Amino acid sequence: MNIVFAGTPEFAARALAALYEAGHSIPLVLTQPDRPAGRGMALQASPVKQLALARGSEVFQPVSLKDAEAQERVRQAGADVMVVAAYGLILPQSVLDMPRLGCLNIHASLLPRWRGAAPIHRAILAGDRQTGVCIMQMEAGLDTGPVLLSEALDIDARDTASSLHDKLAVQGARLIVDAIGRLPLPAVVQDVSGVTYAAKLDKGEAPLDWRRSAEELDRQVRAFNPFPGTTAVLDGAALKIWQAFPVEGNGVPGTVLAADKQGIVVACGSGALRLTELQKAGGKRLPVAQFLAGNGVAVGASFVLPKAS
């Protein structure tokens, strides 16, 4: 197949690599413009751009696909099919109509559950037992198109957004190669009764509210790892909590019940949370034993309760 690929982060790069390895021709790759990153805030190419350049594809980085010049560049590629994965730009109907076999999207959820920007994080946060990948025929609506191929994946009890992302990236790469090799595939219309939306993560969601259950807070810590990380305040110091486990325990929410090399145990609305990896502002992520070696935490101390939303 002659494929135009559109994607930006590592999730998309995995799929692009699989399409190259399957022997498809990819004359044009679309990706987001280079962004400032790192401490020096130097412009950094996306993982997709880096891979595309290494494999000899032309790279196009428009700020929009709504203007005629950008659309003409895509049209000239003469794609049989366009593959889209975590691209970050809206594709106008005129672009969706260009490829002979349309545009296929790799979406990291079992549609219609978790349409939108952050399906991996929202699945963990909600306590879902399963997620997966759908290969969807794209329409103008947000993840509304019919599903051509799907496969479920169990969510492990200790999965973070990072670990689940990596599993789904591998799954998505395999499924898109399979789907393209079997086109045309029957299209299954999504059941609108099961629609949920995976809103983009907001840093305002990061604070841990100790009045909630330990199980909910455990899911929050895992869903927000690596971005944006969950936050808490103890003795005036802002902390990020990177790893925690629900345990038995009772007390006033936010109260430290124990603090040793096994963890800092904090009372929750029900149960308790054992914090095992923490980070002070400006510091490094540390296992709890190292954290406590440089930061005393007294039993009976209280984490700040955020304002109730």
Side-chain angles (χ1 to χ4, degrees):
M1 290 268 185
N2 195 48
I3 297 172
V4 168
F5 187 89
T8 299
E10 182 60 34
F11 181 90
R14 292 283 189 97
L16 178 58
L19 292 169
Y20 281 125
E21 293 305 314
H24 295 292
S25 172
I26 308 176
L28 183 65
V29 171
L30 281 64
T31 191
Q32 286 278 311
D34 296 359
R35 306 290 191 201
R39 291 191 175 183
M41 296 302 285
L43 289 178
Q44 183 171 323
S46 72
V48 162
K49 179 179 179 178
Q50 294 176 47
L51 175 60
L53 292 176
R55 297 299 295 257
S57 293
E58 179 185 353
V59 174
F60 182 34
Q61 298 174 271
V63 295
S64 171
L65 284 170
K66 294 180 180 180
D67 64 275
E69 185 177 345
Q71 292 181 18
E72 182 59 27
R73 190 147 175 201
V74 177
R75 183 179 289 107
Q76 288 176 359
D80 294 311
V81 64
M82 185 170 179
V83 174
V84 182
Y87 177 35
L89 286 185
I90 294 173
L91 272 60
Q93 189 64 50
S94 55
V95 174
L96 294 174
D97 292 339
M98 285 180 191
R100 178 173 62 88
L101 296 170
C103 298
L104 304 185
N105 178 247
I106 308 170
H107 187 76
S109 81
L110 297 177
L111 293 166
R113 187 162 178 78
W114 302 129
R115 293 177 179 176
I120 297 173
H121 311 80
R122 297 299 174 189
I124 294 175
L125 200 58
D128 290 1
R129 299 290 184 89
Q130 274 194 333
T131 184
V133 169
C134 285
I135 307 299
M136 175 190 68
Q137 191 86 46
M138 293 181 71
E139 299 177 341
L142 178 65
D143 300 328
T144 59
V147 174
L148 305 184
L149 200 62
S150 67
E151 185 177 274
L153 177 74
D154 290 341
I155 299 177
D156 186 81
R158 299 314 311 158
D159 265 326
T160 63
S162 177
S163 66
L164 188 55
H165 164 280
D166 291 351
K167 295 175 187 178
L168 291 168
V170 171
Q171 185 181 37
R174 175 171 50 79
L175 286 183
I176 190 61
V177 170
D178 186 18
I180 288 177
R182 295 164 57 189
L183 290 175
L185 283 164
V188 179
V189 176
Q190 294 184 37
D191 179 1
V192 295
S193 67
V195 171
T196 59
Y197 288 96
K200 185 177 179 180
L201 295 183
D202 188 308
K203 288 185 178 180
E205 299 176 77
L208 292 171
D209 187 342
W210 304 101
R211 291 163 291 209
R212 296 167 62 196
S213 72
E215 286 75 17
E216 288 178 285
L217 297 184
D218 166 55
R219 295 200 302 266
Q220 184 181 349
V221 171
R222 292 186 290 112
F224 282 53
N225 182 352
F227 177 84
T230 50
T231 60
V233 177
L234 179 65
D235 294 331
L239 304 174
K240 279 198 171 183
I241 311 301
W242 291 109
Q243 193 171 71
F245 300 85
V247 294
E248 293 184 0
N250 294 290
V252 176
T255 303
V256 175
L257 303 178
D260 55 37
K261 63 182 181 180
Q262 303 302 319
I264 299 169
V265 179
V266 186
C268 303
S270 64
L273 200 66
R274 186 188 302 275
L275 315 182
T276 58
E277 186 179 6
L278 306 92
Q279 179 181 12
K280 289 186 72 171
K284 297 179 180 179
R285 293 170 60 159
L286 295 173
V288 66
Q290 292 182 32
F291 179 86
L292 288 173
N295 303 274
V297 175
V299 173
S302 295
F303 279 86
V304 174
L305 297 178
K307 292 182 180 179
S309 57

